[in-house]
Amino acid sequence: MRILFTGDHDEDVRRGVREAAPRASVTFGADLAEGIEEADAVVGRVPDALLARARRLRWVHSPAVGVDGVLSGALLDSDVTLTSSAGNGAVPLAEHAMLLMLMLSRDVPRWQRAQAERRWDRHTHGELAGATVGLYGLGNAGLDLAAKAKAFHMRVLGMRRRTGVPAPGVDELFGQDDFHRFLATSDFVVVTAPLTPATSGRFDRAAFAAMKRTACFVCVSRGGIADDDALLDALRRGEIAGAGLDAHGVEPLPPHSPFWTLPNVIVTPHNGATTRETARRGVRIMLDNVGRFARGEPLRNVVDKAAGY
């Protein structure tokens, strides 16, 4: 059995891999062009041109949660199993979403401007208790956010593809046909869903028009789920009250982007889940799957390639 790892990995990770699959031939920092023909598994991205030569390949693992950058057309059409690191960043992403909602509710940028000017600026602001948050996506991050929002005494709505699956902490589940009613009922709409063909551009002009004028839009998962032009127009026209954006349609966010300077927008640089624990959880998920693959056991976090997550 031969497993190839792209990129660099420290000695602790290498030791963990050797312990998980002691009989496997493992190459770190692999040149896929040289080894792909004999590889049984790859941890990392496999370009389409190389995938065509991978006659023994059975498994590809994405170190990231979102697989939109890994799931190429060739991989989609192949019999190769794809797994992800889903769940590694759920806790900090949910924390970041709470942070953005708190900042928007209390107009923290106003305090920051006043602090920079050494100006005492007390104002009446909102609170999260009693507000309704709509979670677009109920994977690991969405469910963790639901629990945190309930602790803040919020009403929690959820939207997911499969409404029959239990969703702890969610007061009401909505199907895709109820998208605009879901939006119209929410004071905060938080996107925790992956970027897939079904979610790409889902938040268009009609979606933002369906939201309350007092509502805020928060995105912590992937840019591209919102149409940036539609979002900008909604913010400028006052169709929604504000936005907290950690994920952006173009990254890094260009210096000339209007999002930087809009007074009702909080921008963070896709940094919500960049914690040491996220990295550690991702390694644990990968090592668990390496061991499962070596033993011939079912893999964890198998991606539904047709759905994109």
Side-chain angles (χ1 to χ4, degrees), residues 105-124:
S105 173
R106 293 173 179 257
D107 196 359
V108 169
R110 176 171 170 173
W111 281 329
Q112 291 174 320
R113 291 190 295 270
Q115 180 177 350
E117 299 168 5
R118 303 185 183 190
R119 179 169 44 85
W120 193 256
D121 183 20
R122 299 179 76 245
H123 62 273
T124 300

Side-chain angles (χ1 to χ4, degrees), residues 73-120:
L75 184 57
L76 176 63
D77 295 335
S78 75
D79 293 329
V80 175
T81 298
L82 175 64
T83 61
S84 75
S85 296
N88 68 336
V91 169
L93 274 184
E95 290 180 354
H96 201 73
M98 293 302 305
L99 168 71
L100 292 172
M101 286 194 290
L102 284 166
M103 292 181 73
L104 289 164
S105 173
R106 293 173 179 257
D107 196 359
V108 169
R110 176 171 170 173
W111 281 329
Q112 291 174 320
R113 291 190 295 270
Q115 180 177 350
E117 299 168 5
R118 303 185 183 190
R119 179 169 44 85
W120 193 256

